[in-house]
Amino acid sequence: MNLKNILAAFLFAAASFSAGQTQSQAKHTFAFGDTQFLLDGKPFQMISGEMHYPRVPREAWRARMKMAKAMGLNVIGTYVFWNVHEPEKGQFDFSGGADVAEFVKIAQEEGLWVILRPSPYVCAEWEFGGYPYWLQNEKGLTVRSKEPQYLAEYKKYIMAVGKQLAPLQINHGGNILMVQIENEYGSYAGDKEYLKINEQMFREAGFDGLLYDCDPAPDLAKGHLPGLLPAVNGLDNPHKVKQLINANHDGKGPYYIAEWYPAWFDWWGTKHHTVPSEQYAPHLDSVLAAGISINMYMFHGGTTRGFMNGANYNDSNPYEPQISSYDYDAPLDEAGNATPKFMAFRSVIEKYLPAGVKLPAVPAAKPTMAIKDIHIKQSAAVLSNLPVPKANVHPLTFEDLHQAYGFVLYRTTLTGGKTGFLKLKDLRDYAVIMINGKEVGTLDRRLKQDSIELKLPAGKVRLDILVENLGRINFGKYLLQNKKGLTGKVNFGTQEVLNWQQYGLPFQDLTHLKYTAGRITQPSPQIKKGSFMLLTVADTYLDMRKWGKGMVWINGHNLGRYWSIGPQQTLYIPAEWLKKGANSIEVLELLKPQMNTLSTLDKPILNLLQ
């Protein structure tokens, strides 16, 4: 069958799929041929784009799917995130923005197939690579290993995921074509027995269709489990892709590039990464011409909201926490609008459509607006809104306090009248240092800062250290060393500082805070509260260039972190989270408590280092 006929068959199958089937209708089959995927026995080329449901407002899932169809995609790829679905041990959540089954069903309604990636480890520039923080409280538990406690928790998780998603596989009338076990395991280790346990657990959880694994080209043989389909990441040379997969799959295909990177992500303090479309469109063209299936990572990045960004770190590079925007310079931008890259890739895909077949029109860009300056009317000092503390001789980590994310305030008393260096061993990750309620400096793990000189006034001195978890490492061996807070000794001069009070500040619920009208002169971190009226709603962007460092909530939704160092200077506010009439805003500001005015823009600033 020549390429034209293959693509005609693929489009016929896609059209029949999207022509109004429901889960109870349109039974399909999906299988591996020697060189092609086979949908209902006919060759099928997957043109897929990665999009993660927690990074997109639930209210916008369908609109993003329509954009995927308009670019020519026939498949959506997504990870499943363990720490989203089991934030605390034994407490599972598949509701609201975590309703991954609904995400898959909407894709089906929009005529899209799904590639599912529910491995407990996802990487994904996501906090702890997707692992829930509480795994670190299980003594002896080792992630990505055959350690029994890990496997026991893993099994509970994958069984819960299976209940949600196994019924949505294609062999059960759904639209999930394939399911991935583990994730780039060859870049981490090479234990085939561990991979086999993964496969067995997936089968027990009800994933009885086609399974595959994926690895970067240099690690594929190490991370591949014989018997499954190997897929390759980061390689788009058709000859090399086929050669590599043949070598690991009994000389056969089908051929799948599971992660193709048309751009890249950003981290704080480093320039915004962009890749021009003309650099990558020819590669997409050559892959499609060769009949190879592809998943672009990312098609639409969205936003890593709340505290869910991860971080990179290894022995040769500093700690690199990722920014909140996951725009990724992807074909669909952070707000869900088509970019020039989108149009360039669409033009490539259109080349392979049979005569007479046309893609849907590209939906118009969403309207944007700049709103009037927002003047803050209320303030709450963090130091005046502390919960009941937990006392301990030595500092306790976030994990000791059973706190996943956010901040912890560490408090103790020093004998004053002297000058010396305060040293925080293994600070994770960012500390605001305060003496008698006044901010005197900061320490930043990114910059390998762990010491600050303090000049203490006479008498008893209150030392407060507000520590922020900037994101657990999501890749590499340091997954196993990911506790947060003050994780080592604290010394002042030559003496160890003891007898600490720990105040957990996860900032999940701001309703208990006690605000005062007007400004607070206290030079320490504050939460600001304001409101604004809207006659109409549209996307907008908070301009945080004049502010310091912190987080913002709109109508109760955590928009993510801002930090004046850049490159991200704006926070995206989706129209879906605004309302006509009164809207509320809260800002946690660590460094510039004097700020009291917020402005907005009608476009983002993602490329400004300060």
Side-chain angles (χ1 to χ4, degrees), residues 2 60 109 182 198 274 292 346 407 439 443 506 550 589:
N2 64 31
E109 291 166 4
E182 245 294 343
N198 277 255
T274 61
I292 295 171
R346 173 183 157 101
F407 299 75
E439 184 177 324
L443 295 174
E589 172 56 52

Side-chain angles (χ1 to χ4, degrees), residues 298-534:
M298 300 291 294
F299 159 66
H300 173 49
T303 311
T304 310
R305 295 183 178 84
F307 302 97
M308 299 311 290
N309 67 278
N312 282 333
Y313 177 76
N314 59 46
D315 293 330
S316 58
N317 289 324
Y319 173 73
E320 297 170 340
Q322 290 113 22
I323 67 173
S324 292
S325 170
Y326 204 60
D327 177 271
Y328 217 92
D329 192 37
L332 209 61
D333 70 14
E334 183 176 6
N337 296 312
T339 66
K341 187 173 290 181
F342 178 105
M343 301 307 294
F345 290 177
R346 173 183 157 101
S347 294
V348 170
I349 295 168
E350 279 186 313
K351 288 174 57 177
Y352 297 93
L353 302 180
V357 175
K358 292 185 178 181
L359 294 178
V362 178
K366 299 169 67 184
T368 62
M369 64 181 181
I371 60 181
K372 290 181 179 179
D373 283 357
I374 303 165
H375 300 287
I376 302 297
K377 302 294 185 182
Q378 296 176 290
S379 300
V382 170
L383 297 182
S384 300
N385 284 273
L386 299 177
V388 175
K390 186 169 184 177
N392 203 61
V393 174
H394 302 283
L396 297 173
T397 65
F398 279 54
E399 291 74 17
D400 294 332
L401 298 168
H402 299 279
Q403 180 177 322
Y405 316 116
F407 299 75
V408 170
L409 182 81
Y410 296 85
R411 173 172 288 177
T412 191
T413 302
L414 301 176
T415 300
K418 50 190 167 185
T419 298
F421 277 92
L422 180 74
K423 182 178 177 65
L424 313 181
K425 182 173 171 26
D426 295 329
L427 166 66
R428 298 180 184 167
D429 301 301
Y430 186 88
V432 178
I433 315 295
M434 292 166 277
I435 295 295
N436 291 336
K438 179 181 179 181
E439 184 177 324
V440 295
T442 62
L443 295 174
D444 185 347
R445 180 185 181 187
R446 295 177 316 115
L447 305 178
K448 299 184 178 179
Q449 296 172 342
D450 66 358
S451 301
I452 184 173
E453 187 175 28
L454 299 180
K455 186 175 183 179
L456 303 182
K460 293 296 182 182
V461 174
R462 191 181 81 203
L463 171 66
D464 288 316
I465 305 174
L466 182 64
V467 177
E468 179 180 7
N469 165 7
L470 277 175
R472 290 181 180 85
I473 295 161
N474 59 261
F475 181 82
K477 67 179 183 179
Y478 288 99
L479 280 173
L480 305 178
Q481 300 176 36
N482 246 335
K483 292 191 174 182
K484 290 299 183 180
L486 297 181
T487 67
K489 286 184 178 181
V490 177
N491 277 51
F492 182 65
T494 59
Q495 296 295 311
E496 183 178 1
V497 181
L498 303 173
N499 301 316
W500 294 89
Q501 301 282 337
Q502 278 85 188
Y503 300 84
L505 298 166
F507 290 118
Q508 290 177 311
D509 178 12
L510 305 184
T511 58
H512 66 282
L513 296 175
K514 296 176 182 177
Y515 291 93
T516 60
R519 298 189 180 192
I520 298 175
T521 57
Q522 186 176 14
S524 64
Q526 295 179 21
I527 301 101
K528 311 282 189 170
K529 186 175 183 179
S531 63
F532 55 98
M533 299 292 292
L534 292 176

Side-chain angles (χ1 to χ4, degrees), residues 11-202:
L11 281 154
F12 172 78
S16 66
F17 171 57
S18 62
Q21 92 294 348
T22 66
Q23 273 186 239
S24 60
Q25 301 172 330
K27 296 285 186 181
H28 295 278
T29 62
F30 193 64
F32 298 150
D34 286 350
T35 59
Q36 295 282 339
F37 293 102
L38 300 175
L39 179 62
D40 298 333
K42 298 176 182 177
F44 179 76
Q45 185 176 26
M46 295 187 292
I47 307 176
S48 176
E50 189 90 3
M51 180 167 68
H52 301 148
Y53 54 97
R55 286 177 157 135
V56 180
R58 177 179 171 137
E59 302 91 333
W61 287 348
R62 190 177 299 277
R64 302 299 192 271
M65 303 286 187
K66 290 182 184 298
M67 295 299 293
K69 288 285 288 185
M71 199 177 84
L73 303 184
N74 54 15
V75 179
I76 290 293
T78 186
Y79 284 122
V80 182
F81 299 81
W82 188 353
N83 54 15
V84 168
H85 298 297
E86 194 181 5
E88 297 290 343
K89 185 174 180 177
Q91 299 177 19
F92 286 97
D93 180 15
F94 292 94
S95 64
D99 191 350
V100 61
E102 181 64 14
F103 180 82
V104 172
K105 290 172 186 175
I106 290 173
Q108 184 173 27
E109 291 166 4
E110 294 300 324
L112 290 160
W113 303 97
V114 167
I115 294 291
L116 192 71
R117 313 175 73 190
S119 162
Y121 171 72
V122 299
C123 189
E125 293 71 61
W126 195 262
E127 226 276 345
F128 201 5
Y131 286 120
Y133 87 98
W134 53 262
L135 290 176
Q136 297 186 104
N137 281 340
E138 307 294 312
K139 191 172 182 180
L141 186 151
T142 306
V143 299
R144 302 191 90 179
S145 79
K146 293 180 291 189
E147 191 278 319
Q149 293 177 100
Y150 170 64
L151 294 179
E153 298 300 341
Y154 177 170
K155 185 170 184 178
K156 293 174 195 172
Y157 158 75
I158 203 64
M159 294 298 285
V161 170
K163 286 180 182 177
Q164 297 288 321
L165 296 172
L168 303 181
Q169 295 171 102
I170 188 170
N171 52 322
H172 295 275
N175 59 322
I176 296 173
L177 296 178
M178 288 199 306
V179 178
Q180 178 191 298
I181 71 160
E182 245 294 343
N183 186 52
E184 298 189 322
Y185 179 67
S187 301
Y188 186 80
D191 187 339
K192 304 292 185 182
E193 186 179 353
Y194 166 69
L195 288 173
K196 189 65 180 176
I197 292 170
N198 277 255
E199 180 191 12
Q200 291 166 348
M201 284 196 192
F202 272 61

